[in-house]
mmCIF file with all atom_site columns, all heavy atoms in Angstrom:
data_model
loop_
_atom_site.group_PDB
_atom_site.id
_atom_site.type_symbol
_atom_site.label_atom_id
_atom_site.label_alt_id
_atom_site.label_comp_id
_atom_site.label_asym_id
_atom_site.label_entity_id
_atom_site.label_seq_id
_atom_site.pdbx_PDB_ins_code
_atom_site.Cartn_x
_atom_site.Cartn_y
_atom_site.Cartn_z
_atom_site.occupancy
_atom_site.B_iso_or_equiv
_atom_site.pdbx_formal_charge
_atom_site.auth_seq_id
_atom_site.auth_comp_id
_atom_site.auth_asym_id
_atom_site.auth_atom_id
_atom_site.pdbx_PDB_model_num
ATOM 1  N N   . ARG A 1 202 ? 8.302  17.319 3.658  1.00 98.00 ? 202 ARG A N   1
ATOM 2  C CA  . ARG A 1 202 ? 7.959  17.364 5.077  1.00 98.00 ? 202 ARG A CA  1
ATOM 3  C C   . ARG A 1 202 ? 8.290  18.727 5.681  1.00 98.00 ? 202 ARG A C   1
ATOM 4  O O   . ARG A 1 202 ? 7.538  19.244 6.512  1.00 98.00 ? 202 ARG A O   1
ATOM 5  C CB  . ARG A 1 202 ? 8.705  16.250 5.827  1.00 98.00 ? 202 ARG A CB  1
ATOM 6  C CG  . ARG A 1 202 ? 8.324  14.853 5.394  1.00 98.00 ? 202 ARG A CG  1
ATOM 7  C CD  . ARG A 1 202 ? 6.880  14.532 5.652  1.00 98.00 ? 202 ARG A CD  1
ATOM 8  N NE  . ARG A 1 202 ? 6.515  14.645 7.046  1.00 98.00 ? 202 ARG A NE  1
ATOM 9  C CZ  . ARG A 1 202 ? 5.301  14.393 7.528  1.00 98.00 ? 202 ARG A CZ  1
ATOM 10 N NH1 . ARG A 1 202 ? 4.322  14.030 6.711  1.00 98.00 ? 202 ARG A NH1 1
ATOM 11 N NH2 . ARG A 1 202 ? 5.056  14.517 8.822  1.00 98.00 ? 202 ARG A NH2 1
ATOM 12 N N   . ARG A 1 203 ? 9.405  19.306 5.275  1.00 98.00 ? 203 ARG A N   1
ATOM 13 C CA  . ARG A 1 203 ? 9.757  20.630 5.784  1.00 98.00 ? 203 ARG A CA  1
ATOM 14 C C   . ARG A 1 203 ? 8.736  21.673 5.321  1.00 98.00 ? 203 ARG A C   1
ATOM 15 O O   . ARG A 1 203 ? 8.327  22.542 6.115  1.00 98.00 ? 203 ARG A O   1
ATOM 16 C CB  . ARG A 1 203 ? 11.157 21.012 5.306  1.00 98.00 ? 203 ARG A CB  1
ATOM 17 C CG  . ARG A 1 203 ? 12.283 20.300 6.036  1.00 98.00 ? 203 ARG A CG  1
ATOM 18 C CD  . ARG A 1 203 ? 13.624 20.920 5.720  1.00 98.00 ? 203 ARG A CD  1
ATOM 19 N NE  . ARG A 1 203 ? 13.993 20.704 4.329  1.00 98.00 ? 203 ARG A NE  1
ATOM 20 C CZ  . ARG A 1 203 ? 14.698 19.669 3.901  1.00 98.00 ? 203 ARG A CZ  1
ATOM 21 N NH1 . ARG A 1 203 ? 15.123 18.752 4.754  1.00 98.00 ? 203 ARG A NH1 1
ATOM 22 N NH2 . ARG A 1 203 ? 15.005 19.555 2.627  1.00 98.00 ? 203 ARG A NH2 1
ATOM 23 N N   . ARG A 1 204 ? 8.342  21.589 4.063  1.00 98.00 ? 204 ARG A N   1
ATOM 24 C CA  . ARG A 1 204 ? 7.370  22.542 3.546  1.00 98.00 ? 204 ARG A CA  1
ATOM 25 C C   . ARG A 1 204 ? 6.015  22.379 4.228  1.00 98.00 ? 204 ARG A C   1
ATOM 26 O O   . ARG A 1 204 ? 5.324  23.363 4.523  1.00 98.00 ? 204 ARG A O   1
ATOM 27 C CB  . ARG A 1 204 ? 7.253  22.388 2.031  1.00 98.00 ? 204 ARG A CB  1
ATOM 28 C CG  . ARG A 1 204 ? 8.506  22.792 1.276  1.00 98.00 ? 204 ARG A CG  1
ATOM 29 C CD  . ARG A 1 204 ? 8.465  22.384 -0.168 1.00 98.00 ? 204 ARG A CD  1
ATOM 30 N NE  . ARG A 1 204 ? 7.391  23.070 -0.900 1.00 98.00 ? 204 ARG A NE  1
ATOM 31 C CZ  . ARG A 1 204 ? 7.112  22.829 -2.180 1.00 98.00 ? 204 ARG A CZ  1
ATOM 32 N NH1 . ARG A 1 204 ? 7.801  21.932 -2.870 1.00 98.00 ? 204 ARG A NH1 1
ATOM 33 N NH2 . ARG A 1 204 ? 6.132  23.498 -2.775 1.00 98.00 ? 204 ARG A NH2 1
ATOM 34 N N   . LEU A 1 205 ? 5.644  21.151 4.501  1.00 97.00 ? 205 LEU A N   1
ATOM 35 C CA  . LEU A 1 205 ? 4.379  20.906 5.183  1.00 97.00 ? 205 LEU A CA  1
ATOM 36 C C   . LEU A 1 205 ? 4.426  21.450 6.611  1.00 97.00 ? 205 LEU A C   1
ATOM 37 O O   . LEU A 1 205 ? 3.463  22.065 7.091  1.00 97.00 ? 205 LEU A O   1
ATOM 38 C CB  . LEU A 1 205 ? 4.084  19.408 5.190  1.00 97.00 ? 205 LEU A CB  1
ATOM 39 C CG  . LEU A 1 205 ? 2.628  18.974 5.354  1.00 97.00 ? 205 LEU A CG  1
ATOM 40 C CD1 . LEU A 1 205 ? 1.762  19.491 4.217  1.00 97.00 ? 205 LEU A CD1 1
ATOM 41 C CD2 . LEU A 1 205 ? 2.544  17.439 5.414  1.00 97.00 ? 205 LEU A CD2 1
ATOM 42 N N   . ALA A 1 206 ? 5.559  21.249 7.281  1.00 97.00 ? 206 ALA A N   1
ATOM 43 C CA  . ALA A 1 206 ? 5.694  21.743 8.648  1.00 97.00 ? 206 ALA A CA  1
ATOM 44 C C   . ALA A 1 206 ? 5.652  23.267 8.707  1.00 97.00 ? 206 ALA A C   1
ATOM 45 O O   . ALA A 1 206 ? 5.210  23.845 9.710  1.00 97.00 ? 206 ALA A O   1
ATOM 46 C CB  . ALA A 1 206 ? 6.994  21.234 9.258  1.00 97.00 ? 206 ALA A CB  1
ATOM 47 N N   . ALA A 1 207 ? 6.093  23.916 7.624  1.00 98.00 ? 207 ALA A N   1
ATOM 48 C CA  . ALA A 1 207 ? 6.114  25.379 7.591  1.00 98.00 ? 207 ALA A CA  1
ATOM 49 C C   . ALA A 1 207 ? 4.822  25.985 7.061  1.00 98.00 ? 207 ALA A C   1
ATOM 50 O O   . ALA A 1 207 ? 4.649  27.203 7.103  1.00 98.00 ? 207 ALA A O   1
ATOM 51 C CB  . ALA A 1 207 ? 7.287  25.861 6.729  1.00 98.00 ? 207 ALA A CB  1
ATOM 52 N N   . SER A 1 208 ? 3.902  25.150 6.589  1.00 98.00 ? 208 SER A N   1
ATOM 53 C CA  . SER A 1 208 ? 2.662  25.637 5.992  1.00 98.00 ? 208 SER A CA  1
ATOM 54 C C   . SER A 1 208 ? 1.670  26.070 7.069  1.00 98.00 ? 208 SER A C   1
ATOM 55 O O   . SER A 1 208 ? 1.237  25.257 7.899  1.00 98.00 ? 208 SER A O   1
ATOM 56 C CB  . SER A 1 208 ? 2.034  24.548 5.121  1.00 98.00 ? 208 SER A CB  1
ATOM 57 O OG  . SER A 1 208 ? 0.709  24.875 4.769  1.00 98.00 ? 208 SER A OG  1
ATOM 58 N N   . GLN A 1 209 ? 1.304  27.325 7.045  1.00 97.00 ? 209 GLN A N   1
ATOM 59 C CA  . GLN A 1 209 ? 0.312  27.811 8.009  1.00 97.00 ? 209 GLN A CA  1
ATOM 60 C C   . GLN A 1 209 ? -1.052 27.178 7.756  1.00 97.00 ? 209 GLN A C   1
ATOM 61 O O   . GLN A 1 209 ? -1.803 26.880 8.697  1.00 97.00 ? 209 GLN A O   1
ATOM 62 C CB  . GLN A 1 209 ? 0.218  29.337 7.930  1.00 97.00 ? 209 GLN A CB  1
ATOM 63 C CG  . GLN A 1 209 ? 1.500  30.048 8.340  1.00 97.00 ? 209 GLN A CG  1
ATOM 64 C CD  . GLN A 1 209 ? 1.861  29.761 9.789  1.00 97.00 ? 209 GLN A CD  1
ATOM 65 O OE1 . GLN A 1 209 ? 1.048  29.940 10.692 1.00 97.00 ? 209 GLN A OE1 1
ATOM 66 N NE2 . GLN A 1 209 ? 3.085  29.307 10.014 1.00 97.00 ? 209 GLN A NE2 1
ATOM 67 N N   . VAL A 1 210 ? -1.389 26.968 6.481  1.00 97.00 ? 210 VAL A N   1
ATOM 68 C CA  . VAL A 1 210 ? -2.671 26.337 6.154  1.00 97.00 ? 210 VAL A CA  1
ATOM 69 C C   . VAL A 1 210 ? -2.730 24.940 6.732  1.00 97.00 ? 210 VAL A C   1
ATOM 70 O O   . VAL A 1 210 ? -3.731 24.527 7.346  1.00 97.00 ? 210 VAL A O   1
ATOM 71 C CB  . VAL A 1 210 ? -2.886 26.318 4.627  1.00 97.00 ? 210 VAL A CB  1
ATOM 72 C CG1 . VAL A 1 210 ? -4.095 25.467 4.261  1.00 97.00 ? 210 VAL A CG1 1
ATOM 73 C CG2 . VAL A 1 210 ? -3.048 27.728 4.094  1.00 97.00 ? 210 VAL A CG2 1
ATOM 74 N N   . TRP A 1 211 ? -1.633 24.182 6.566  1.00 98.00 ? 211 TRP A N   1
ATOM 75 C CA  . TRP A 1 211 ? -1.610 22.815 7.084  1.00 98.00 ? 211 TRP A CA  1
ATOM 76 C C   . TRP A 1 211 ? -1.643 22.794 8.609  1.00 98.00 ? 211 TRP A C   1
ATOM 77 O O   . TRP A 1 211 ? -2.436 22.063 9.208  1.00 98.00 ? 211 TRP A O   1
ATOM 78 C CB  . TRP A 1 211 ? -0.372 22.083 6.571  1.00 98.00 ? 211 TRP A CB  1
ATOM 79 C CG  . TRP A 1 211 ? -0.242 20.688 7.093  1.00 98.00 ? 211 TRP A CG  1
ATOM 80 C CD1 . TRP A 1 211 ? 0.532  20.259 8.124  1.00 98.00 ? 211 TRP A CD1 1
ATOM 81 C CD2 . TRP A 1 211 ? -0.958 19.528 6.631  1.00 98.00 ? 211 TRP A CD2 1
ATOM 82 N NE1 . TRP A 1 211 ? 0.368  18.906 8.338  1.00 98.00 ? 211 TRP A NE1 1
ATOM 83 C CE2 . TRP A 1 211 ? -0.532 18.438 7.432  1.00 98.00 ? 211 TRP A CE2 1
ATOM 84 C CE3 . TRP A 1 211 ? -1.894 19.304 5.619  1.00 98.00 ? 211 TRP A CE3 1
ATOM 85 C CZ2 . TRP A 1 211 ? -1.024 17.154 7.244  1.00 98.00 ? 211 TRP A CZ2 1
ATOM 86 C CZ3 . TRP A 1 211 ? -2.383 18.022 5.428  1.00 98.00 ? 211 TRP A CZ3 1
ATOM 87 C CH2 . TRP A 1 211 ? -1.955 16.958 6.233  1.00 98.00 ? 211 TRP A CH2 1
ATOM 88 N N   . GLN A 1 212 ? -0.799 23.585 9.218  1.00 98.00 ? 212 GLN A N   1
ATOM 89 C CA  . GLN A 1 212 ? -0.647 23.520 10.666 1.00 98.00 ? 212 GLN A CA  1
ATOM 90 C C   . GLN A 1 212 ? -1.843 24.086 11.421 1.00 98.00 ? 212 GLN A C   1
ATOM 91 O O   . GLN A 1 212 ? -2.216 23.579 12.482 1.00 98.00 ? 212 GLN A O   1
ATOM 92 C CB  . GLN A 1 212 ? 0.635  24.254 11.085 1.00 98.00 ? 212 GLN A CB  1
ATOM 93 C CG  . GLN A 1 212 ? 1.922  23.617 10.572 1.00 98.00 ? 212 GLN A CG  1
ATOM 94 C CD  . GLN A 1 212 ? 2.176  22.234 11.156 1.00 98.00 ? 212 GLN A CD  1
ATOM 95 O OE1 . GLN A 1 212 ? 1.698  21.910 12.240 1.00 98.00 ? 212 GLN A OE1 1
ATOM 96 N NE2 . GLN A 1 212 ? 2.911  21.418 10.433 1.00 98.00 ? 212 GLN A NE2 1
#
Side-chain angles (χ1 to χ4, degrees):
R202 297 297 301 181
R203 285 192 293 269
R204 293 169 64 183
L205 203 61
S208 167
Q209 296 298 307
V210 171
W211 178 261
Q212 295 295 335

